[in-house]
Amino acid sequence: MSFLILVVVIILYWWLRSRRKPKLSPYMLEQFLKINDPIPLCGKPDVVWETRDGTLIVGDYKSRENQQVYESEVIQLSVYKLLVEKTQNRSVADYGFIHFKNRNMKKVSLMKEKEIIALYHRYWNVIGGEVVACAANSKNYCRYCSHKHECN
Amino acid sequence: MRQASATELAKMGKCERQVYLDHHHGEDTSLTATFIKRGNREHEQFNRQLSGKDKRCFIATVVFGIDAVETNILRHFRDMNLMPYRPGRILISLYYSISPYIVIVIEKHPVLKIPIRAALRWFIRSWR
């Protein structure tokens, strides 16, 4: 009899605990966002999380085995953060999550708005040939590049 | 000012020369096509896991499969007969809090799938 009561108490405890709002719940999934101010940007974050206190956190999923975080991913998440901030008019955390397989995730600090704006202008200057484009740091990256034969 | 996407700006962190050459000579993804296809498949799965609040049916998913006929029938039963009513929603909430642990036991002892499948199929036949 006391064992049964114990089982019921345990079940009730887990049930009450599961009713509590999770620390992170998905606020937005793969929604296309676009802004024109301060600069014209667009993007589709894989996930935007909402914490219990209502703060939003951007997240992106990477399917590769290697769980290192690269600069390109920090840039991508930072742009998503700016997009969410300007479109949702809510506070967005200055960090984001990179999600990997097996529910692993890494927290990354994001770039500031003025750094993204500077990068945007540099992007168009690179395309326009107005500045000298820097090459990849890693020769390994060049292996899968379709321009490896024409790139000096 | 012209629009740029998050993905395009992110490439600046990989290789600016590639950004320039992609823009002026076009991007050829044949070398990375396999990785892109696999990545898209895994993104879909990630998305399904996060948006699956109404797709959850843990025990049925383990014994029949995520998109099996029986799993969909049980989801339909949940949505039509339990969700509209408060006692039903309490039962669902209780089920979602306990069933992940039952799933762990089933995965450790796959032979349990046989009686559970039989019981769920009997339930489906009775309900229909």
Side-chain angles (χ1 to χ4, degrees), chain B residues 66-112:
Chain B
I66 191 163
D67 284 318
V69 168
E70 294 92 340
T71 311
N72 287 327
I73 292 171
L74 288 165
R75 282 194 195 109
H76 185 71
F77 171 81
R78 177 201 63 199
D79 295 340
M80 293 290 122
N81 294 70
L82 298 178
M83 283 292 261
Y85 312 104
R86 192 174 161 80
R89 286 194 293 274
I90 293 171
L91 197 61
I92 291 168
S93 178
L94 199 59
Y95 170 78
Y96 284 149
S97 57
I98 302 168
S99 54
Y101 304 102
I102 300 175
V103 164
I104 290 169
V105 172
I106 295 172
E107 281 173 350
K108 275 195 178 146
H109 306 283
V111 70
L112 290 172

Side-chain angles (χ1 to χ4, degrees), chain A residues 2 6 20 58 74 106-107 113-114 129 132 139 147 151:
Chain A
S2 46
L6 184 66
R20 200 174 163 211
V58 290
V74 176
K106 287 199 174 166
K107 184 174 167 180
E113 186 176 317
K114 53 186 179 186
V132 175
K139 286 275 183 278
H147 305 291
C151 181

Side-chain angles (χ1 to χ4, degrees), chain A:
Chain A
M1 186 64 185
S2 46
F3 174 73
L4 270 172
I5 294 170
L6 184 66
V7 166
V8 167
V9 165
I10 291 171
I11 290 173
L12 263 173
Y13 166 75
W14 280 113
W15 176 61
L16 286 167
R17 201 178 136 152
S18 71
R19 281 171 67 87
R20 200 174 163 211
K21 197 174 169 188
K23 282 184 191 165
L24 287 181
S25 45
Y27 170 80
M28 194 194 289
L29 292 174
E30 289 201 335
Q31 197 168 315
F32 181 75
L33 303 171
K34 190 172 148 178
I35 57 170
N36 286 314
D37 176 47
I39 43 173
L41 289 175
C42 63
K44 195 157 81 160
D46 285 342
V47 60
V48 178
W49 298 102
E50 185 178 20
T51 62
R52 278 191 199 132
D53 65 2
T55 306
L56 301 179
I57 308 174
V58 290
D60 201 50
Y61 177 75
K62 299 295 169 193
S63 58
R64 61 173 185 266
E65 297 295 336
N66 156 26
Q67 299 194 359
Q68 194 180 343
V69 175
Y70 297 104
E71 189 190 342
S72 56
E73 284 146 14
V74 176
I75 295 171
Q76 193 179 8
L77 274 183
S78 304
V79 173
Y80 289 154
K81 183 212 167 203
L82 184 61
L83 286 167
V84 172
E85 233 166 27
K86 299 295 179 189
T87 54
Q88 308 301 306
N89 291 319
R90 298 261 303 261
S91 76
V92 183
D94 58 4
Y95 60 88
F97 292 125
I98 304 280
H99 299 273
F100 296 102
K101 287 181 182 185
N102 302 323
R103 298 179 184 224
N104 291 334
M105 57 197 243
K106 287 199 174 166
K107 184 174 167 180
V108 297
S109 297
L110 303 178
M111 293 162 65
K112 302 208 177 352
E113 186 176 317
K114 53 186 179 186
E115 290 173 313
I116 300 169
I117 294 171
L119 184 69
Y120 168 88
H121 290 299
R122 183 170 173 90
Y123 171 76
W124 288 112
N125 287 339
V126 160
I127 285 177
E130 287 150 49
V131 298
V132 175
C134 302
N137 286 332
S138 155
K139 286 275 183 278
N140 219 19
Y141 184 71
C142 301
R143 234 185 331 150
Y144 295 102
C145 180
S146 58
H147 305 291
K148 59 188 171 198
H149 301 297
E150 56 203 318
C151 181
N152 56 353

Side-chain angles (χ1 to χ4, degrees), chain B residues 18-103:
Chain B
Q18 190 181 49
V19 169
Y20 176 85
L21 290 166
D22 278 350
H23 189 86
H24 291 279
H25 300 279
E27 190 183 348
D28 177 7
T29 53
S30 55
L31 288 174
T32 50
T34 322
F35 300 122
I36 291 171
K37 200 173 165 184
R38 192 191 70 191
N40 288 340
R41 233 183 7 248
E42 303 217 6
H43 265 80
E44 260 176 65
Q45 201 179 353
F46 178 72
N47 194 296
R48 257 206 318 243
Q49 277 168 12
L50 293 181
S51 65
K53 217 171 150 107
D54 61 333
K55 284 197 94 172
R56 282 183 303 172
C57 209
F58 297 124
I59 297 175
T61 300
V62 163
V63 301
F64 294 120
I66 191 163
D67 284 318
V69 168
E70 294 92 340
T71 311
N72 287 327
I73 292 171
L74 288 165
R75 282 194 195 109
H76 185 71
F77 171 81
R78 177 201 63 199
D79 295 340
M80 293 290 122
N81 294 70
L82 298 178
M83 283 292 261
Y85 312 104
R86 192 174 161 80
R89 286 194 293 274
I90 293 171
L91 197 61
I92 291 168
S93 178
L94 199 59
Y95 170 78
Y96 284 149
S97 57
I98 302 168
S99 54
Y101 304 102
I102 300 175
V103 164

